[in-house]
Amino acid sequence: MSDSLLCEETRARLADTSLGRELLAVFQHENITTLFQPIVNLKKRSIYAFECLTRGPENTPLYSPINLFGLADDLGCLLQMDVLARNVAIRNFVSASSFHQNQAKLFINVTVSSLLDKNHRSGKTLQLLAQSQLDLSQVVIEITELQPIEDCDIFLKALNHYRSMGFKVAIDDLGSGYNGLKLWSDVKPDYVKIDKHFISNIDSQADKYRFMETIVILAKGLGTKIIAEGVETEQELYILEKLGVDLVQGFLLKRPSALPALSLSFKWPDRRQVTVTDNETVKVVNKHYKWVNPNETVFEVAEYLLNNPDVVFVPVVDKGIPTGMVWRHALMNVLATQYGRNLHSRKSIKKFMDEPLVYNIKTPLVDVSNDITEMGAQEKSAFIITENGKYVGCGSFMDLLKVMTDLKVRSAKYANPLSGLPGNVPIQNKIQQYLDSNMPFSVIYVDVDHFKAYNDCYSFEQGDQVIAAIANVLESVMAGKEGFVGHIGGDDFVIVTEEDHETVANSVLSDFRFASQGFYTEEDRERGGIQSFSRDGEPQFFPMMTLSVGVLLVYPDIFVHTQKLSSVATRAKKGAKSAGGNQFFVIDSRDYTDA
């Protein structure tokens, strides 16, 4: 019973009040829970550590850690609550043996008051670790500020005692506590956590971007690892990756849970789009494989496999329709058992076939690759390919992997490094593909107004953030729609789509109008722009950035190739710029003449 952490005097004091009795019951029954939230290494995109989050009795006000530790502080037993939370956290972590053996680190919160408490006995955590066989190199002491540090010398002495035993040290919520950078300078921590206030909407708020940029530079100079807390959107995560932040945690990646988990809720998307043509569907990996009828016997199929040792699977097809897949290893394992051949040889093969993976011949390779990755098909190595529902062949996972690797290499070669979007070569290929389909479509040319002035005033790094944000806006607008998003270069983008052009263009304009507010300081927002210099070096006021969107409606038999089409699309963009920006201008190709 953990009320042994309390002396007689403290127990008697707690028993005197109703709130004190609630807290006493927590100690007596160890009625606290530890939740584990992953801390993720951004370079490796894998779990680096777990933070221990303590919760009190469920369905009570003390479930909240603020209430639980606040009450313990008020009633003079914060140190004891810290120790109890520490004990339960380590015990629970160690009980999940596969996790602590995986060398994931454990971040344990310790309040400043506990470190400064005169009753604090050194060696308690070390003793507990020795009992649990948890390596102390895996434990990080995370300092949480509940009150100002009045005597910094005593605090540093207590903290250095932990370090002398081999513990790493982290400062929690930099920017939200009382001491901030002074504490960082004095403690020289191994890790610094950045409060979620500075992370929320960092992708659209220039001040937060600049703050984090400065903090990252400072951390690298001091040899401190940065942990960004409260990451909740892909856009925030992307900016943190771009800034070179070491570690992150937040609901986007994984919510706290009672057991440490080595899998994340978030999967990094492949930001490079792959232009899908006939050569980039499953058709490119299709090969004809001998198939068998579902009524053929196990003996007949086994004989075929024995005579063809390189064959690892046999499709089962009934009247042209694929119904199953027989795997060499599975069938041979059945026949290799005692009496297996005698028991099963005369049975029809359909009793031993597996449900197949089946894809239409026009299915993009990317979709098949994603399915197989998510499914983790350990023992399967091929899928069946159909056309109009009829069997035409199979594709092997190995061939798929080779083709996907080639596609990604080619995609990376032509991708714009700032946005991750396809560049000019894929854009031209996609437009030509639409022209060859002989169907109407739209080319939507997106250009940023006053971008150079912004770059000159706010820095190229901030300008890069704007480019990334525009890419996010365009991809978000086209999410779930038929179309292609590309980055021509600089601040020029393009959307090629069959969707309604007015809906797409208006969505792009409104979404960027909202996102662009965060690119500016409050002062610049209030005056509606920035004071910079003209191309002649003269002082000039520039309004806030807007978009000029030129729309070219393309109809069959007007453009044969992309060169003329691109020229007319540029005219549409210039039309939007001439109209004043923040709107779209349409050219109908049926009205187009060379004149």
Side-chain angles (χ1 to χ4, degrees):
M1 296 205 349
S2 289
D3 63 335
S4 61
L5 293 171
L6 307 173
C7 65
E8 290 292 339
E9 180 184 347
T10 303
R11 280 203 294 271
R13 188 174 68 253
L14 293 180
D16 261 356
T17 64
S18 58
L19 285 175
R21 287 190 289 275
E22 284 187 49
L23 198 61
L24 183 59
V26 171
F27 280 104
Q28 289 173 332
H29 304 292
E30 291 193 353
N31 196 7
I32 62 172
T33 306
T34 305
L35 301 180
F36 298 94
Q37 185 171 31
I39 296 172
V40 178
N41 184 316
L42 274 183
K43 285 185 179 177
K44 295 183 178 179
R45 295 182 173 179
S46 62
I47 292 175
Y48 176 82
F50 295 94
E51 181 183 1
C52 301
L53 305 172
T54 299
R55 301 291 182 264
E58 289 190 22
N59 303 316
T60 73
L62 293 184
Y63 181 77
S64 162
I66 294 176
N67 294 342
L68 178 68
F69 287 91
L71 179 61
D73 193 22
D74 292 342
L75 297 180
C77 52
L78 179 60
L79 169 62
Q80 292 83 351
M81 183 58 70
D82 252 6
V83 173
L84 174 61
R86 206 178 313 168
N87 292 353
V88 172
I90 291 173
R91 193 166 62 235
N92 290 348
F93 185 67
V94 171
S95 67
S97 59
S98 62
F99 301 106
H100 81 266
Q101 288 172 2
N102 197 54
Q103 296 301 304
K105 294 189 183 298
L106 191 66
F107 279 63
I108 298 177
N109 291 300
V110 176
T111 61
V112 170
S113 297
S114 293
L115 285 175
L116 299 179
D117 194 307
K118 62 182 180 181
N119 295 315
H120 187 280
R121 287 192 299 163
S122 64
K124 295 279 289 184
T125 304
L126 205 60
Q127 181 182 354
L128 182 61
L129 291 176
Q131 293 170 353
S132 64
Q133 297 183 334
L134 184 66
D135 192 325
L136 67 85
S137 66
Q138 290 179 248
V139 177
V140 178
I141 302 298
E142 184 172 326
I143 309 302
T144 303
E145 295 181 73
L146 292 182
Q147 62 184 38
I149 300 173
E150 295 176 356
D151 193 329
C152 201
D153 289 338
I154 295 177
F155 168 73
L156 288 174
K157 184 177 179 181
L159 195 58
N160 286 331
H161 180 70
Y162 273 105
R163 295 183 122 158
S164 68
M165 291 187 289
F167 292 104
K168 300 292 186 182
V169 173
I171 295 178
D172 186 26
D173 290 347
L174 183 75
S176 70
Y178 294 92
N179 297 277
L181 293 175
K182 182 179 185 302
L183 185 61
W184 188 353
S185 173
D186 291 339
V187 173
K188 297 179 177 59
D190 303 285
Y191 305 89
V192 167
K193 284 193 165 186
I194 307 301
D195 184 65
K196 64 183 180 182
H197 165 79
F198 297 98
I199 307 305
S200 178
N201 299 315
I202 189 174
D203 55 299
S204 60
Q205 295 188 18
D207 291 340
K208 291 182 179 180
Y209 183 94
R210 285 180 166 181
F211 171 83
M212 184 59 73
E213 189 175 39
T214 302
I215 288 295
V216 169
I217 293 170
L218 180 60
K220 291 188 184 304
L222 295 174
T224 300
K225 283 185 166 54
I226 291 292
I227 304 174
E229 295 187 295
V231 180
E232 296 189 357
T233 69
E234 287 188 41
Q235 289 74 24
E236 292 166 357
L237 185 66
Y238 172 69
I239 292 299
L240 295 171
E241 283 186 295
K242 181 176 179 294
L243 285 170
V245 170
D246 303 289
L247 305 163
V248 293
Q249 66 183 122
F251 286 177
L252 174 69
L253 299 148
K254 193 81 172 182
R255 288 178 175 269
S257 58
L259 281 176
L262 290 181
S263 63
L264 297 173
S265 302
F266 176 77
K267 291 184 178 179
W268 272 262
D270 187 349
R271 291 183 60 83
R272 303 187 194 97
Q273 297 182 13
V274 178
T275 307
V276 178
T277 66
D278 276 350
N279 291 333
E280 293 162 355
T281 65
V282 293
K283 181 177 182 180
V284 76
V285 294
N286 182 52
K287 294 178 182 176
H288 185 79
Y289 288 83
K290 173 181 168 60
W291 55 269
V292 297
N293 186 288
N295 294 320
E296 290 194 39
T297 65
V298 169
F299 174 80
E300 291 171 318
V301 177
E303 283 295 301
Y304 168 69
L305 290 172
L306 289 171
N307 291 328
N308 296 273
D310 293 335
V311 174
V312 296
F313 59 86
V314 181
V316 182
V317 179
D318 186 15
K319 298 176 182 177
I321 308 296
T323 58
M325 187 80 90
V326 177
W327 303 99
R328 168 187 284 274
H329 67 271
L331 186 62
M332 292 307 180
N333 285 344
V334 169
L335 296 179
T337 61
Q338 190 175 17
Y339 311 120
R341 187 171 292 272
N342 291 335
L343 286 172
H344 303 300
S345 286
R346 296 182 182 276
K347 293 179 181 177
S348 66
I349 195 63
K350 66 183 177 184
K351 293 185 180 296
F352 297 91
M353 68 185 187
D354 193 11
E355 183 178 353
L357 291 172
V358 181
Y359 292 97
N360 181 275
I361 199 164
K362 294 182 180 179
T363 305
L365 287 169
V366 176
D367 293 348
V368 181
S369 178
N370 289 339
D371 286 351
I372 291 171
T373 300
E374 289 181 13
M375 183 179 57
Q378 300 90 345
E379 296 185 351
K380 298 180 180 181
S381 58
F383 51 90
I384 292 176
I385 299 173
T386 62
E387 188 169 21
N388 299 322
K390 299 287 188 177
Y391 172 81
V392 293
C394 296
S396 76
F397 288 6
M398 187 59 69
D399 287 344
L400 176 69
L401 177 63
K402 289 177 181 176
V403 173
M404 285 301 298
T405 300
D406 290 343
L407 280 177
K408 288 187 176 183
V409 169
R410 192 188 336 153
S411 180
K413 180 179 178 181
Y414 295 119
N416 188 289
L418 286 180
S419 63
L421 294 174
N424 280 308
V425 172
I427 291 171
Q428 297 303 318
N429 290 342
K430 174 55 71 173
I431 292 175
Q432 190 62 55
Q433 182 185 341
Y434 269 92
L435 288 174
D436 293 342
S437 71
N438 218 31
M439 296 287 288
F441 64 97
S442 301
V443 174
I444 302 175
Y445 198 136
V446 180
D447 179 69
V448 187
D449 307 311
H450 314 303
F451 179 71
K452 183 181 183 303
Y454 179 90
N455 240 358
D456 292 343
C457 180
Y458 275 84
S459 80
F460 287 104
E461 289 80 6
Q462 198 75 12
D464 290 350
Q465 183 190 358
V466 173
I467 295 300
I470 296 171
N472 286 332
V473 165
L474 301 186
E475 288 186 302
S476 176
V477 167
M478 293 305 296
K481 298 182 176 70
E482 289 292 329
F484 173 90
V485 181
H487 187 175
I488 298 169
D491 58 338
D492 291 351
F493 295 81
V494 69
I495 297 173
V496 186
T497 182
E498 300 171 39
E499 303 283 344
D500 177 65
H501 68 276
E502 289 190 20
T503 301
V504 173
N506 281 321
S507 296
V508 167
L509 290 170
S510 63
D511 286 6
F512 179 76
R513 192 180 305 120
F514 174 77
S516 65
Q517 296 297 310
F519 299 147
Y520 294 87
T521 62
E522 185 176 350
E523 181 184 2
D524 285 342
R525 284 197 296 270
E526 286 178 356
R527 64 186 177 192
I530 55 179
Q531 193 67 42
S532 188
F533 296 92
S534 68
R535 295 182 184 276
D536 299 326
E538 297 296 324
Q540 183 177 342
F541 179 79
F542 290 89
M544 293 173 68
M545 287 180 291
T546 55
L547 296 183
S548 289
V549 178
V551 179
L552 174 62
L553 306 182
V554 183
Y555 290 91
D557 302 324
I558 295 177
F559 300 106
V560 177
H561 52 75
T562 61
Q563 187 174 352
K564 291 248 184 214
L565 182 150
S566 298
S567 175
V568 182
T570 302
R571 288 191 197 178
K573 179 200 73 171
K574 290 179 178 177
K577 276 194 172 294
S578 299
N582 207 33
Q583 55 187 298
F584 65 92
F585 182 86
V586 180
I587 291 180
D588 189 322
S589 63
R590 292 172 296 188
D591 301 329
Y592 165 75
T593 64
D594 285 322

